[in-house]
Amino acid sequence: MGLRIHFVVDPHGWCCMGLIVFVWLYNIILIPKIVLFPHYEEGHIPGILIIIFYGIAIFCLIALVRASITDPGRLPENPKIPHGERELWELCSKCNLMRPKRSHHCSRCGHCVRRMDHHCPWINNCVGEDNHWLFLQLCFYTELLTCYALMFSFCHYYYFLPLKKHNLDLFVFRHELAIMRLAAFMGITMLVGITGLFYTQLIGIITDTTSIEKMSNCCEEISRPRKPWQQTFSEVFGTRWKILWFIPFRQRQPLRVPYHFANHV
């Protein structure tokens, strides 16, 4: 399945996404310059920790970009309905087009999205069937990168040995305390917000319920999981290989699973 580019023209979304990119650049540039590289040069930390930091940062950026530009599952104007699945489709009251059940019409984007979870301004895109897995990866790697940066910021002042060499001519070292305080504030704010969001996303997948269905209370048996958690996660990520759930630079292949699934015990 080829990659379908989806670009939403929304200044509000551009500002939100720009803020996320700013926080990412702030941490990816200043944390290594103030903490990682100086302590590595003086032998306080191994080089593998720097490689892990940049690896997490790259995975986080890839997930952000791909979640933002990947088509979330926009329905075509004249969808082809399989003959045996006509009872699983319904008419959208806003765009007057047929759509699969559990689809939703996004008022901001102006079209229906398959299994839409919500519209996220932070990626300037809807979170739907085809990019939900990338959004989950973005939450995971953002939380991991934030914890990593906060941990090194704490160790810089309270655990590592004091640095012997300081180049006070550099702006970042002359204003180190202010820079690190701002980084800590942004990191804690980001950690609290992304933890709550990631938790609700995981619960939604485990219970096979989207955020819109929770708010509208329209999903049948909303409080009881209808599928095993392995099945719901495999459907979202498009593969049963769990190691691939963490890889953001692959192509997702949807699993063909019947809409109505009964978990027989």
Side-chain angles (χ1 to χ4, degrees):
M1 190 170 100
L3 177 64
R4 295 184 297 173
I5 302 298
H6 183 73
F7 186 76
V8 179
V9 180
D10 183 6
H12 176 257
W14 294 342
C15 292
C16 292
M17 190 172 177
L19 181 60
I20 295 297
V21 173
F22 168 77
V23 174
W24 183 86
L25 288 173
Y26 191 94
N27 284 275
I28 203 68
I29 294 174
L30 295 178
I31 295 298
K33 192 174 187 63
I34 295 177
V35 180
L36 297 181
F37 289 129
H39 284 285
Y40 169 72
E41 292 173 356
E42 296 191 9
H44 299 163
I45 60 174
I48 187 65
L49 294 181
I50 300 178
I51 296 175
I52 293 174
F53 178 83
Y54 278 109
I56 297 173
I58 291 173
F59 274 45
C60 181
L61 182 62
I62 293 174
L64 172 63
V65 173
R66 292 200 62 192
S68 177
I69 66 174
T70 298
D71 188 337
R74 178 178 180 175
L75 289 167
E77 294 185 0
N78 296 309
K80 295 181 179 180
I81 305 176
H83 180 72
E85 298 181 7
R86 293 184 181 274
E87 69 277 5
L88 304 180
W89 288 63
E90 61 186 7
L91 182 67
C92 176
S93 60
K94 296 182 179 179
C95 59
N96 294 321
L97 296 175
M98 294 299 294
R99 66 185 186 186
K101 291 183 178 180
R102 305 192 72 183
S103 300
H104 185 76
H105 186 92
C106 179
S107 57
R108 186 173 290 273
C109 296
H111 53 73
C112 289
V113 176
R114 294 192 311 273
R115 204 181 185 279
M116 177 177 168
D117 188 83
H118 67 286
H119 182 93
C120 180
W122 300 108
I123 64 172
N124 191 33
N125 199 359
C126 291
V127 177
E129 183 178 284
D130 291 342
N131 71 340
H132 199 173
W133 66 286
L134 291 166
F135 184 75
L136 288 172
Q137 289 182 353
L138 174 61
C139 293
F140 173 74
Y141 286 116
T142 300
E143 185 156 4
L144 201 60
L145 182 63
T146 303
C147 290
Y148 211 73
L150 288 173
M151 179 189 69
F152 277 113
S153 299
F154 176 84
C155 292
H156 176 62
Y157 289 106
Y158 301 105
Y159 183 76
F160 292 149
L161 295 174
L163 294 173
K164 299 177 182 179
K165 300 177 182 178
H166 274 290
N167 188 354
L168 298 180
D169 294 333
L170 294 177
F171 175 86
V172 292
F173 287 108
R174 285 188 283 114
H175 300 86
E176 175 186 326
L177 186 59
I179 292 173
M180 295 301 292
R181 283 178 175 175
L182 180 58
F185 171 77
M186 291 190 299
I188 294 173
T189 304
M190 183 77 73
L191 183 62
V192 172
I194 205 68
T195 299
L197 177 60
F198 194 33
Y199 173 78
T200 58
Q201 288 293 303
L202 293 178
I203 294 299
I205 295 177
I206 292 173
T207 59
D208 192 25
T209 309
T210 66
S211 299
I212 292 176
E213 290 169 346
K214 289 179 182 177
M215 291 186 293
S216 60
N217 196 28
C218 66
C219 186
E220 299 176 359
E221 300 177 351
I222 192 170
S223 62
R224 180 178 64 84
R226 296 181 297 174
K227 307 175 185 178
W229 70 268
Q230 297 96 330
Q231 179 68 34
T232 56
F233 274 89
S234 296
E235 292 178 21
V236 170
F237 286 96
T239 178
R240 292 183 174 86
W241 291 88
K242 294 181 177 59
I243 187 64
L244 296 180
W245 294 357
F246 300 92
I247 308 299
F249 43 80
R250 63 178 178 87
Q251 292 297 326
R252 175 185 178 273
Q253 299 293 335
L255 294 178
R256 298 301 178 185
V257 180
Y259 176 77
H260 292 286
F261 181 91
N263 182 18
H264 300 286
V265 180

